[in-house]
């Protein structure tokens, strides 16, 4: 994929996650702020715990950082898969956000 195609996909992913986090705040009363700067989306829960999703354009990877770990994802088909064989990007974000707030939160990422 070209750099431009990657950036379009990355923007789409970050937009979807940001929209879902804003929905958690508005509809589920979850204390989360979604802050986007370029290719970096930071979710701040309870004004202290951070989950960061960002695009690594040179590697064509999406990276996820949370209090309990960091993960790298590459696109395979239409799914962003963990480079070390763990859950896909949406599943891992869901798990990490759920872990922080203590409530089931589900992130979906559509291609």
């Amino acid at each position: 994929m070209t750099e431009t195609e990657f950036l379009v996909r990355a923007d789409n992913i970050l937009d979807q996650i940001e929209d879902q986090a804003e929905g958690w705040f508005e509809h589920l009363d979850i204390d989360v702020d979604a802050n986007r700067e370029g290719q970096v989306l930071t979710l701040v829960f309870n004004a202290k715990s951070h989950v960061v999703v960002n695009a690594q354009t040179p590697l064509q990877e999406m990276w996820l950082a949370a209090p309990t770990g960091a993960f790298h994802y590459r696109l395979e088909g239409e799914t962003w898969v963990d480079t070390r064989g763990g859950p896909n990007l949406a599943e891992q974000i869901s798990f990490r956000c759920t872990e922080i707030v203590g409530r089931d939160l589900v992130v979906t990422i559509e291609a």
Side-chain angles (χ1 to χ4, degrees), residues 70-74 76 79-89 92:
F71 311 88
H72 300 177
Y73 297 86
R74 284 195 191 110
E76 288 186 14
T79 304
W80 290 90
V81 298
D82 189 319
T83 60
R84 292 177 266 162
N88 71 39
L89 180 59
Q92 191 68 266

Side-chain angles (χ1 to χ4, degrees), residues 46-63:
N46 303 317
K48 62 181 178 178
S49 297
H50 294 71
V51 172
V52 180
V53 182
N54 68 298
Q56 291 295 316
T57 305
L59 300 173
Q60 293 196 349
E61 291 183 351
M62 297 300 294
W63 288 7

Side-chain angles (χ1 to χ4, degrees), residues 25-99:
F25 177 79
E26 292 174 16
H27 305 293
L28 300 177
D29 199 30
I30 301 290
D31 183 5
V32 59
D33 287 318
N35 303 304
R36 174 96 178 264
E37 299 237 355
Q39 297 296 310
V40 179
L41 173 65
T42 303
L43 305 178
V44 182
F45 293 91
N46 303 317
K48 62 181 178 178
S49 297
H50 294 71
V51 172
V52 180
V53 182
N54 68 298
Q56 291 295 316
T57 305
L59 300 173
Q60 293 196 349
E61 291 183 351
M62 297 300 294
W63 288 7
L64 168 65
T68 54
F71 311 88
H72 300 177
Y73 297 86
R74 284 195 191 110
L75 186 62
E76 288 186 14
E78 292 299 317
T79 304
W80 290 90
V81 298
D82 189 319
T83 60
R84 292 177 266 162
N88 71 39
L89 180 59
E91 293 168 342
Q92 191 68 266
I93 296 170
S94 299
F95 178 76
R96 298 301 160 181
C97 292
T98 295
E99 181 177 58

